[in-house]
Amino acid sequence: CARKKLGKPYKHGCFGSDRFDCVGFTYWCYKQVGVKLKASTSKQAEDTRFMSVSYDELAPGDLVYFHTDDDSDVSHAALYLGDGEIIHASQTAGKVIISEMVSSSSDYYKRNFHCARRVFP
């Protein structure tokens, strides 16, 4: 269901179904499969109902959380697709996009990886 939302606009505070912010996107996607996530990025990242996984253990469907270069607090949420890709509502791009965690031009997402949670072990 996440891929079907590619290109949908980013809108701060929106939880779908046609506009999303980052946490609204992860919330909406998991709601489609009957899982209710917390409604804030930091609360999702800290949700001990779900197993914590390291960067090297990421699997498709994992929730991934990031901080910025300037701040260690979690500030962005995404879904891991596999093969080093995430799908997320990007404020910078203004829409739901797929990004590489490490690309030839940037390692921003790998460098700012905060944590990950596995909903379905």
Side-chain angles (χ1 to χ4, degrees):
C1 67
R3 287 182 186 270
K4 291 179 182 176
K5 297 302 179 179
L6 280 170
K8 294 294 183 184
Y10 177 94
K11 176 78 170 155
H12 182 74
C14 285
F15 282 67
S17 68
D18 289 319
R19 294 181 298 178
F20 304 92
D21 66 9
C22 68
V23 73
F25 182 69
T26 56
Y27 180 94
W28 183 88
C29 288
Y30 267 95
K31 184 178 176 185
Q32 304 316 295
V33 293
V35 177
K36 184 165 184 182
L37 298 178
K38 307 281 183 176
S40 83
T41 306
S42 61
K43 289 189 188 311
Q44 279 188 14
E46 297 166 359
D47 193 340
T48 58
R49 292 178 299 159
F50 309 119
M51 183 173 78
S52 178
V53 293
S54 71
Y55 181 88
D56 293 330
E57 299 171 314
L58 289 173
D62 287 347
L63 294 158
V64 288
Y65 302 95
F66 306 92
H67 53 81
T68 65
D69 285 332
D70 301 325
D71 191 351
S72 63
D73 291 337
V74 65
S75 59
H76 190 60
L79 292 172
Y80 188 70
L81 292 175
D83 296 323
E85 292 184 328
I86 57 172
I87 186 168
H88 57 122
S90 168
Q91 183 177 14
T92 303
K95 60 186 175 182
V96 175
I97 61 170
I98 293 174
S99 297
E100 294 178 3
M101 290 185 67
V102 177
S103 69
S104 59
S105 61
S106 175
D107 68 345
Y108 179 84
Y109 291 108
K110 182 176 183 181
R111 184 176 71 242
N112 289 292
F113 175 81
H114 184 81
C115 69
R117 295 281 175 187
R118 182 159 299 149
V119 176
F120 299 111

